């Protein structure tokens, strides 16, 4: 089960409501606010608002591109396209580093400090560990810092936005998973029927056995005596074989 950040849903709802009435510069300003809002790490709903999408065809296109970086990208992606993007505030830069950490944690369960410091552009181990602890506190990440081995062991991580071109892949994967679950359920149902039938047969044999025992006990003459004075065995009476 993926992690969820407290208060994030409320922040998204507020921003998407404002986006219905914000156009042009106002919509671009809303993107700047969203990318700097504490505790907000998903932006797909905002990016799908008509007034925000419309920015792609205006002089505020760079604001929309920045929103895409925060939705799907990393700090590396921003650095590579920084010439076409607005400059980041300290708050936005911090959030993009957190998003980069989240992105790495979704791909690997064991993250070495050197790889993290290189990707997130951290100057010291202390700064990196502060970022990790902050992310854990915010609820975007769960795991354990191993200072001896200089790595972070990921236990859980929040889900990021999904790129539109990945929807078909996810739908196909979920469909396969659903089919596999249905096959398992069918197998369980078949096994349950088999067990029920087996239980019914066992009960029938038990009842039959007890009925014969009861009949033998209720016989007035010695049930084990055969002509000639020889005793019958219990197997002979119950037809259970020699």
């Amino acid at each position: 089960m993926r992690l969820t950040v407290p208060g994030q849903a409320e922040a998204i709802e507020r921003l998407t409501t404002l986006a219905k009435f914000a156009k042009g510069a106002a919509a671009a300003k809303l993107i700047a606010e969203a990318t700097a809002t504490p505790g907000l790490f998903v932006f797909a709903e905002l990016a799908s608002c008509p007034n925000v999408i419309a920015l792609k065809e205006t002089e505020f296109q760079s604001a929309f591109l920045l929103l895409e970086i925060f939705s799907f990208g990393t700090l590396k992606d921003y650095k590579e396209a920084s010439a076409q993007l607005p400059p980041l505030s300290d708050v936005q830069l911090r959030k993009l580093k957190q998003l980069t950490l989240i992105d790495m944690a979704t791909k690997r369960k064991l993250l070495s400090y050197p790889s993290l410091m290189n990707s997130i552009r951290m100057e010291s181990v202390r700064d990196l560990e502060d970022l990790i602890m902050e992310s854990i506190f915010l609820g975007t990440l769960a795991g354990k810092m191993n200072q001896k081995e200089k790595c972070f062991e990921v236990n859980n991580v929040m889900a990021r936005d999904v790129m539109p071109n990945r929807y078909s892949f996810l739908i196909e994967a979920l469909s396969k998973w659903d089919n596999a679950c249905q096959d398992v359920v069918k197998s369980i149902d078949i096994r349950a029927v088999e067990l029920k039938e087996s239980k019914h047969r066992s009960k029938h044999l038990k009842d039959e056995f007890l009925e014969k025992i009861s009949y033998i006990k209720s016989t007035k003459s010695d049930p084990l005596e055969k002509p000639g004075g020889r005793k019958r065995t219990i197997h002979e009476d119950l037809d259970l074989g020699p």
Side-chain angles (χ1 to χ4, degrees):
M1 182 178 179
R2 292 289 190 183
L3 298 175
T4 56
V5 179
Q8 186 165 236
E10 292 78 3
I12 295 171
E13 184 178 1
R14 182 182 67 83
L15 290 166
T16 52
T17 299
L18 292 173
K20 294 177 182 178
F21 310 99
K23 295 182 179 182
K29 184 177 179 181
L30 198 61
I31 288 174
E33 179 183 345
T35 53
T37 297
L40 180 59
F41 296 94
V42 290
F43 308 92
E45 289 186 50
L46 179 62
S48 65
C49 293
N51 287 340
V52 174
I53 295 174
L55 293 177
K56 291 192 292 184
E57 308 299 329
T58 70
E59 69 265 36
F60 302 106
Q61 180 187 32
S62 61
F64 184 84
L65 295 176
L66 181 66
L67 185 60
E68 286 193 320
I69 293 289
F70 274 75
S71 295
F72 319 116
T74 63
L75 183 59
K76 179 183 177 182
D77 297 321
Y78 176 83
K79 294 292 184 181
E80 291 176 349
S82 59
Q84 291 80 41
L85 297 170
L88 297 178
S89 67
D90 290 343
V91 174
Q92 287 173 314
L93 178 59
R94 186 71 173 180
K95 178 177 286 192
L96 191 53
K97 289 183 176 183
Q98 292 168 339
L99 287 166
T100 302
L101 174 58
I102 293 168
D103 189 77
M104 295 179 70
T106 61
K107 297 173 181 176
R108 297 186 63 183
K109 291 296 183 182
L110 189 64
L111 301 171
S112 69
Y113 279 9
S115 66
L116 287 170
M117 293 178 68
N118 180 60
S119 297
I120 306 175
R121 310 288 178 93
M122 306 302 290
E123 296 182 357
S124 69
V125 170
R126 175 62 184 273
D127 290 340
L128 173 64
E129 290 183 337
D130 285 347
L131 183 73
I132 293 173
M133 291 181 65
E134 183 180 332
S135 298
I136 292 174
F137 177 78
L138 288 169
T140 63
L141 199 64
K144 178 182 177 182
M145 289 185 291
N146 189 329
Q147 295 177 325
K148 181 179 179 181
E149 299 296 331
K150 296 188 181 303
C151 65
F152 178 69
E153 301 167 11
V154 181
N155 292 334
N156 205 347
V157 61
M158 66 163 284
R160 291 195 67 186
D161 293 323
V162 179
M163 296 184 70
N165 61 7
R166 296 276 293 172
Y167 289 162
S168 58
F169 169 79
L170 288 177
I171 291 172
E172 181 181 354
L174 289 171
S175 179
K176 289 180 179 179
W177 178 79
D178 181 61
N179 290 335
C181 288
Q182 290 185 32
D183 290 340
V184 171
V185 170
K186 288 178 182 177
S187 298
I188 292 174
D189 288 341
I190 292 171
R191 183 56 180 159
V193 171
E194 291 174 348
L195 290 172
K196 186 176 180 180
E197 291 176 348
S198 177
K199 182 180 179 181
H200 179 74
R201 287 194 298 270
S202 297
K203 184 177 184 304
H204 177 74
L205 290 173
K206 179 181 178 181
D207 292 343
E208 191 177 69
F209 180 83
L210 293 175
E211 184 179 345
K212 289 186 177 182
I213 290 291
S214 178
Y215 170 76
I216 292 171
K217 288 182 178 180
S218 64
T219 304
K220 292 182 179 180
S221 58
D222 187 346
L224 300 180
E225 187 175 341
K226 294 181 69 174
R230 188 171 69 84
K231 299 286 187 178
R232 289 200 304 265
T233 68
I234 190 69
H235 291 85
E236 291 173 321
D237 264 313
L238 298 179
D239 295 328
L240 298 179

